[in-house]
Amino acid sequence: MFSMSFNITKTIEDVIVEYIDVDFTLWLTWLLMPLLITFLLPFVIVLLLYFTILTLHIYRSHRGRIQNAYGTDWKFAAQSVTGAIWDAHGWIWHGYEVVGLENIPKDGAAMLIFYHGAIPVDVYYFLAKVFLYYSRLIYTVADRFLFKIPGWSIMSDGLRVLPGTIQTCSSILKEKHLLAILPGGVYEAQFGDSYYKLLWKKRIGFAKVALDAKVDIIPIFTRNIREAFRTVTWGRRIFLRLYAATRLPIVPIYGGFPVKMVTYVGKPIPYDESLTPEQLQKKVAAAVEDLINEHQQIPGSITRALLERVLPPKKKTQ
């Protein structure tokens, strides 16, 4: 029996040595690991989005039972669960914090203006935080291509995500809701970089909405959002041409790095009827740039952003 076991073991060893180069396998694993980490981690966010859709679908399909269990409507119950999921993900993966949450009104309307990261996970975390602390669901304007994604209709209905025409956005604000807009849109997401320059071009739609609805605008910026996810920089001219032709986010994204992320909520910019949309756009852009200059070390560094999980950053000197 011992002899038979020895022979089997020897045969297995011979096969491994002959057909599998262990050193090469280890080297190949080491070589490909950065590629696996940087390009597969973004799919975690995609999976989380679809988990949100699944949760909303479950609550919508079984709202009768859920209403009996929670004593409220199914959407509120689903929103509470998904908000808790995103809040937990932000806390665990990014040590996510919000500074200046008191600047968000607990009732009444306001427009929230964000800098657009490659993937705006900070917006998801922030929306969850506001919902959990204030029980206020922020309406969010998203690019139209998203509404062609299977399952997105459940997301948009349950979490109040909309394409956002000027008339629609103005009506939402006039109904005393909060509305989040990322003026840079897909262009800023795809072609922004670690220098955090605003790429708003001449977009003034949000300013027209704010003036029509007569609401304050609150500038918001998240430190290290560009270090969490980045877009590749090679082939930029080709991608620019493709984007101009399709208006689709075709630049590859990599990342998912567990960097420290802190969202800074600036002081509200009061409604001023004397301003034109162009003047208001410049005023808001300057407020967001002030938050960037105050709280973000430029250029951004993934290594530094990772270290901030354990070592708080030094305050920038003026």
Side-chain angles (χ1 to χ4, degrees):
M1 180 65 70
F2 175 78
S3 177
M4 182 180 296
S5 300
F6 177 80
N7 290 335
I8 293 174
T9 303
K10 188 67 169 63
T11 302
I12 294 174
E13 290 178 352
D14 291 341
V15 169
I16 292 175
V17 171
E18 183 175 355
Y19 294 103
I20 302 176
D21 189 331
V22 176
D23 289 336
F24 174 74
T25 302
L26 292 174
W27 176 83
L28 190 63
T29 302
W30 173 84
L31 180 67
L32 296 179
M33 188 58 68
L35 184 66
L36 292 173
I37 291 174
T38 55
F39 284 96
L40 288 183
L41 278 178
F43 284 97
V44 173
I45 298 301
V46 175
L47 291 175
L48 197 56
L49 286 171
Y50 270 92
F51 183 80
T52 300
I53 293 170
L54 177 62
T55 303
L56 290 167
H57 175 72
I58 291 171
Y59 273 85
R60 185 178 69 174
S61 301
H62 303 284
R63 56 184 176 272
R65 297 184 181 90
I66 293 169
Q67 284 173 346
N68 293 333
Y70 289 92
T72 184
D73 67 280
W74 72 270
K75 287 185 180 180
F76 184 83
Q79 291 157 359
S80 299
V81 172
T82 53
I85 292 170
W86 279 101
D87 189 61
H89 184 275
W91 176 67
I92 293 170
W93 198 246
H94 294 291
Y96 180 73
E97 299 177 51
V98 177
V99 175
L101 190 61
E102 66 276 5
N103 291 326
I104 302 297
K106 295 183 179 180
D107 53 45
M111 179 182 290
L112 315 181
I113 297 297
F114 288 80
Y115 171 84
H116 203 315
I119 296 181
V121 290
D122 58 323
V123 179
Y124 311 149
Y125 298 147
F126 184 81
L127 266 58
K129 189 79 71 177
V130 171
F131 184 80
L132 293 173
Y133 279 80
Y134 289 172
S135 295
R136 298 202 69 183
L137 185 62
I138 301 174
Y139 285 71
T140 309
V141 175
D143 198 278
R144 293 182 182 278
F145 84 89
L146 290 170
F147 296 87
K148 299 177 182 179
I149 298 176
W152 192 264
S153 60
I154 298 177
M155 172 82 79
S156 60
D157 178 55
L159 300 182
R160 299 293 185 266
V161 183
L162 62 152
T165 63
I166 291 178
Q167 294 74 19
T168 302
C169 292
S170 182
S171 297
I172 289 170
L173 290 169
K174 289 177 180 178
E175 293 171 1
K176 307 302 181 183
H177 294 294
L178 297 173
L179 177 67
I181 297 179
L182 292 76
V186 175
Y187 183 81
E188 187 170 74
Q190 292 271 277
F191 300 105
D193 55 31
S194 59
Y195 285 87
Y196 289 88
K197 297 293 185 182
L198 298 187
L199 302 179
W200 293 6
K201 295 187 173 181
K202 296 182 179 180
R203 297 181 179 180
I204 59 173
F206 76 90
K208 292 180 179 179
V209 170
L211 291 172
D212 181 66
K214 299 180 173 59
V215 296
D216 295 348
I217 296 178
I218 302 175
I220 300 176
F221 169 73
T222 301
R223 188 174 76 232
N224 296 328
I225 184 61
R226 279 280 165 190
E227 279 57 71
F229 291 94
R230 287 186 173 180
T231 52
V232 298
T233 56
W234 48 263
R236 183 58 60 95
R237 291 184 179 180
I238 296 175
F239 286 127
L240 278 168
R241 291 178 181 176
L242 289 173
Y243 172 77
T246 64
R247 298 296 174 180
L248 294 175
I250 39 79
V251 181
I253 296 173
Y254 66 96
F257 304 112
V259 301
K260 178 67 177 180
M261 287 172 52
V262 181
T263 293
Y264 295 92
V265 183
K267 296 291 184 181
I269 299 172
Y271 164 70
D272 185 350
E273 63 178 344
S274 67
L275 295 177
T276 65
E278 290 79 9
Q279 291 171 331
L280 182 57
Q281 190 249 32
K282 291 180 180 178
K283 188 172 184 178
V284 175
V288 175
E289 288 173 339
D290 286 343
L291 290 175
I292 295 173
N293 293 332
E294 182 179 357
H295 300 292
Q296 180 68 54
Q297 286 189 268
I298 297 175
S301 164
I302 294 174
T303 302
R304 184 173 61 238
L306 288 169
L307 289 175
E308 287 181 13
R309 293 296 301 271
V310 292
L311 298 173
K314 295 179 181 179
K315 290 186 177 181
K316 296 180 68 175
T317 56
Q318 299 296 328

